[in-house]
Amino acid sequence: MGVDDVMKSGRATDRSTRLGRAQHRAEEVALLVAGEMGVEGFQVFVSASDDPPGSAHTAPEVRLIEVAISTVEHPDPRVLRGTLAHELAHIRLGVPRWQRYVGTFGVLAAALGAAGGLLLGSLFLAIAAAPHTNVLLVHVVCASFGAGAFLPASGLLHRQLLQRLELRCDIEAAHRTGDAWLALEELDPSTELSPSALFFQSTHPSADVRAAAIRLHARYRHCVCGSTDPAEGK
């Protein structure tokens, strides 16, 4: 369910229904966690999707959190608390500047690759071309090859930036709410991915990396971030 679908469907408010009870609990917990996170002016919607526990999505630009009902109903209360803390961190940190230009970067990467391909094509024509070589075809092939080579690189960079953002949200949540996310470690779908799949496909760091960061930064116990965080101690 996308953000537009969530906003159109509205909140479930009837507590006699399963979804209504889940909505009420999610809002209660979210308000408590948001108080620790210093986040205001957001909305939480519970979706009836069959996503696994720990599933949630945030649109920080509209301050909207969508959380799966399986997350709300999980018997370990830390699952909901840890999930909401991470999603609220997305709102607290806002939309990163690079994310606003990632689409433009993809276009520029393709254009740069095509330009590089054209240069290689020109070099080939100058050095090794036969008298009847189809110049236009060589340039088209080289430009297409160059653009195709640069697009995966831009996608990889985008995924790496997303992984860094997710880790920043984990750390921000850990600073203010502790290590509740550790209850989600075994539920993290990245544990089933190979190292290569994690690097080339996942938009989240591995569960081990996330858990280590959270243990280090939980409540500022073992890190020095508090000395540089102006919000700490208020």
Side-chain angles (χ1 to χ4, degrees), residues 31-215:
L31 284 174
L32 292 174
V33 177
E36 296 180 70
M37 297 286 296
V39 177
E40 299 178 347
F42 65 93
Q43 289 182 288
V44 177
F45 290 84
V46 177
S47 72
S49 66
D50 57 357
D51 293 332
S55 299
H57 174 74
T58 297
E61 64 276 11
V62 292
R63 306 178 75 81
L64 174 67
I65 299 172
E66 177 196 0
V67 59
I69 193 170
S70 59
T71 302
V72 183
E73 294 180 338
H74 195 278
D76 187 340
R78 295 178 302 163
V79 169
L80 177 58
R81 178 178 168 80
T83 300
L84 288 172
H86 175 90
E87 301 307 321
L88 285 163
H90 275 288
I91 293 177
R92 180 179 174 83
L93 295 175
V95 180
R97 189 174 301 173
W98 60 262
Q99 205 165 39
R100 299 168 184 165
Y101 304 108
V102 69
T104 303
F105 178 76
V107 173
L108 290 176
L112 182 61
L118 288 173
L119 288 175
L120 287 176
S122 299
L123 184 63
F124 168 78
L125 290 171
I127 296 175
H132 300 293
T133 300
N134 189 323
V135 175
L136 178 60
L137 179 60
V138 169
H139 279 141
V140 168
V141 170
C142 289
S144 300
F145 177 80
F150 268 68
L151 278 176
S154 67
L156 177 61
L157 176 60
H158 185 203
R159 284 188 292 276
Q160 295 302 307
L161 289 171
L162 286 174
Q163 288 190 12
R164 292 185 63 180
L165 173 61
E166 294 297 330
L167 196 60
R168 279 191 65 201
C169 289
D170 286 338
I171 292 170
E172 184 70 17
H175 279 160
R176 302 180 184 283
T177 65
D179 56 8
W181 184 91
L182 294 179
L184 288 154
E185 188 174 1
E186 294 182 359
L187 304 175
D188 193 325
S190 70
T191 57
E192 301 177 5
L193 297 176
S194 66
S196 61
L198 263 174
F199 185 79
F200 289 105
Q201 299 175 20
S202 178
T203 58
H204 289 72
S206 69
D208 291 343
V209 169
R210 300 180 75 179
I214 287 165
R215 289 190 180 97

